[in-house]
Amino acid sequence: MPKLRLSEKFLTTSLTCPDGKRRIEFCDTAVPGLYVEVRNTSPDQGTYYVRYRDASEKTCHVKIGRTIDIDLASAREKAKTLRAEIALGADPSAEKKAKRATLTFDTFWAEHALPYLRTMKKTAGKDDQRYRHRLKAQFGHLKLNKISRHALQAYHSGLRQQGLSGASCDHEIKIMRRALNLAVEWRMLDRNPADRFPLFREPNQVEHFLDENELGRLLMVLRNDKNRMVCQVVLWLLATGARLNEALQARWDHVDRTHRIWRIPALNSKSKRVRAVPLNDAAIEVLDALDTADKYAFLFINERRKKPYRNIAKVFLRIREEAGLPHLRIHDLRHQFASHLVSAGKSLYQVQQLLGHSDPKVTMRYSHLSTAALRDATDAASDALTRASKPTATATE
């Protein structure tokens, strides 16, 4: 931000934005706080602003006018007047701040909350779908400071009365709470009415673990189905315990065949951390069966479109029907991988690391499988006691 004594000649000949920059400020040394902003989209003209600090020491800007509409002398007089009013306690931006504080929730969601959430959450699109489905009609028209805790409570209870699960009801409130937290953080709202909101917190974990017979039927279909590429994706999920999105975005340069490691970049990982997945023999078999290594960057390619798969739901539905497993979901393949680990006596910590859970509480859903494995282990002690209690031939004689 160059500082100089502005002049009419400078304003006429030098209002240009440097190459590679979107905007530049030329600060006037004659009147502190006065500057001219020039944007690369509007060369040879600029806009006068006064910069100041409000009562909370926050930097604010008030617009005076464009250089093509007001001369320098008038801009300086206006800037001096504003600075005098500010010194006496006035806040020229108060009206703008008040207008911002009275945004409707729909405007706040569309212009502020959602753009931010899209940079922070991979599931922001699903949150937006939920918002447009129900929340918008209920709260979208209300001003931010008019959303009451009582209204949220009534909405939460009403959803339950309509037959929604407790988890679905809670998710709606969580979306509101997160958005209103942002409004408080950005000083658009004094307090969040959804703070410490009582939720139903009903368990909604649905898991379908395959027994040996069911797993055998699934593998039979996977080894014979005509859509070989999707079958390889499913086998990869069973062998690695990866999430579907992680598998579909897997690239050959992420795979280290020598050390048998698959590196999942932070961008593709739900935990937003780089994760290294050891590759077992079953995973190596999948790599050996693929013919995409020298042709494409990605492991799994849609042969018809010649591009990576974005979804395999349609083919997977057919595969599970052929295997006689109508309730099996794609995410259950990840649970199946975890069940194999726990049943083999692996600790929950090892399961957590292999599945990439950032919170050990998530891994605790498999604790009942660990208990079953421990119970089977204790049977060995029981068998030893049983054998010892039987009289031997020598003792009988």
Side-chain angles (χ1 to χ4, degrees):
M1 101 183 28
K3 295 183 179 181
L4 70 161
R5 186 180 181 88
L6 295 177
S7 64
E8 290 292 352
K9 180 180 179 181
F10 179 85
L11 297 176
T12 303
T13 61
S14 303
L15 291 185
T16 58
C17 187
D19 293 339
K21 288 190 174 183
R22 294 186 304 164
R23 57 184 292 276
I24 188 173
E25 297 176 2
F26 296 103
C27 302
D28 186 25
T29 57
V31 179
L34 176 65
Y35 68 91
V36 175
E37 180 193 68
V38 181
R39 295 183 176 270
N40 59 5
T41 55
S42 302
D44 301 324
Q45 60 178 284
T47 304
Y48 293 109
Y49 286 92
V50 171
R51 187 185 351 257
Y52 70 99
R53 291 184 180 275
D54 62 11
S56 63
E57 292 300 310
K58 181 181 179 180
T59 301
C60 302
H61 308 262
V62 58
K63 181 179 176 180
I64 295 178
R66 296 185 301 170
T67 56
I68 59 175
D69 298 327
I70 184 173
D71 58 33
L72 178 60
S74 299
R76 280 176 171 157
E77 287 300 318
K78 179 63 175 177
K80 291 178 181 179
T81 302
L82 287 171
R83 285 180 57 81
E85 294 174 353
I86 293 168
L88 294 174
D91 186 355
S93 299
E95 182 178 350
K96 180 180 178 181
K97 293 176 184 176
K99 182 178 180 180
R100 181 182 298 174
T102 56
L103 286 175
T104 64
F105 186 82
D106 189 54
T107 301
F108 171 75
W109 176 263
E111 298 181 3
H112 301 278
L114 184 59
Y116 174 78
L117 292 174
R118 287 193 186 281
T119 66
M120 303 299 292
K121 292 182 63 180
K122 287 190 174 183
T123 57
K126 293 183 179 179
D127 288 348
D128 187 42
Q129 290 178 358
R130 284 181 177 269
Y131 169 71
R132 288 185 280 107
H133 183 54
R134 289 191 181 90
L135 290 168
K136 182 175 181 178
Q138 188 72 24
F139 299 104
H141 64 287
L142 296 177
K143 300 291 181 65
L144 284 177
N145 56 1
K146 296 299 182 182
I147 298 176
S148 68
R149 192 177 183 86
H150 179 267
L152 290 169
Q153 184 67 67
Y155 176 73
H156 190 230
S157 302
L159 290 179
R160 189 56 186 276
Q161 293 173 2
Q162 294 174 26
L164 268 70
S165 68
S168 295
C169 299
D170 288 349
H171 203 90
E172 303 268 326
I173 296 299
K174 289 177 182 177
I175 291 173
M176 293 294 295
R177 181 171 61 193
R178 177 61 174 140
L180 294 172
N181 271 339
L182 291 174
V184 173
E185 182 179 342
W186 295 333
R187 298 184 180 180
M188 296 180 176
L189 192 63
D190 292 333
R191 53 180 294 276
N192 184 353
D195 187 32
R196 298 183 181 181
F197 194 93
L199 302 175
F200 293 124
R201 300 189 185 281
E202 290 184 354
N204 67 329
Q205 297 173 352
V206 178
E207 299 166 352
H208 297 117
F209 297 108
L210 304 179
D211 60 29
E212 187 173 343
N213 179 267
E214 292 172 328
L215 181 59
R217 298 204 308 267
L218 176 61
L219 292 175
M220 180 66 69
V221 174
L222 293 176
R223 287 167 180 153
N224 295 281
D225 190 83
K226 60 183 179 181
N227 194 320
R228 300 310 310 144
M229 190 60 68
V230 171
C231 289
Q232 297 303 331
V233 174
V234 176
L235 288 168
W236 183 262
L237 297 178
L238 282 168
T240 63
R243 299 177 178 90
L244 176 62
N245 185 59
E246 294 170 342
L248 297 185
Q249 296 185 62
R251 300 169 61 97
W252 282 106
D253 57 3
H254 298 161
V255 176
D256 182 348
R257 292 289 297 265
T258 303
H259 298 94
R260 296 167 67 109
I261 293 291
W262 169 33
R263 183 179 59 84
I264 301 178
L267 184 63
N268 298 348
S269 174
K270 184 178 180 181
S271 63
K272 297 187 177 180
R273 298 176 182 174
V274 176
R275 185 155 63 93
V277 179
L279 297 178
N280 52 33
D281 291 342
I284 295 297
E285 286 182 12
V286 173
L287 295 179
D288 291 339
L290 297 175
D291 61 353
T292 57
D294 300 324
K295 302 177 184 178
Y296 305 96
F298 293 85
L299 268 66
F300 305 107
I301 298 295
N302 186 319
E303 296 176 356
R304 181 174 57 84
R305 298 175 60 247
K306 306 301 180 184
K307 292 181 179 180
Y309 277 94
R310 298 180 63 183
N311 203 313
I312 62 169
K314 185 175 181 180
V315 179
F316 182 76
L317 290 177
R318 178 174 56 76
I319 289 174
R320 75 177 191 182
E321 290 297 330
E322 291 180 11
L325 303 168
H327 301 296
L328 185 68
R329 305 167 306 167
I330 291 179
H331 200 69
D332 289 329
L333 304 176
R334 182 169 163 86
H335 297 320
Q336 189 68 26
F337 175 80
S339 72
H340 291 322
L341 296 177
V342 177
S343 298
K346 306 305 177 184
S347 69
L348 291 180
Y349 175 78
Q350 291 173 304
V351 176
Q352 177 190 349
Q353 296 304 307
L354 289 171
L355 292 183
H357 290 158
S358 57
D359 188 345
K361 293 180 181 178
V362 179
T363 318
M364 287 302 295
R365 70 191 306 171
Y366 305 112
S367 60
H368 65 285
L369 297 175
S370 179
T371 302
L374 292 175
R375 186 170 57 249
D376 291 341
T378 64
D379 289 343
S382 176
D383 293 342
L385 292 174
T386 301
R387 288 194 301 270
S389 65
K390 291 182 179 179
T392 63
T394 303
T396 303
E397 293 174 359

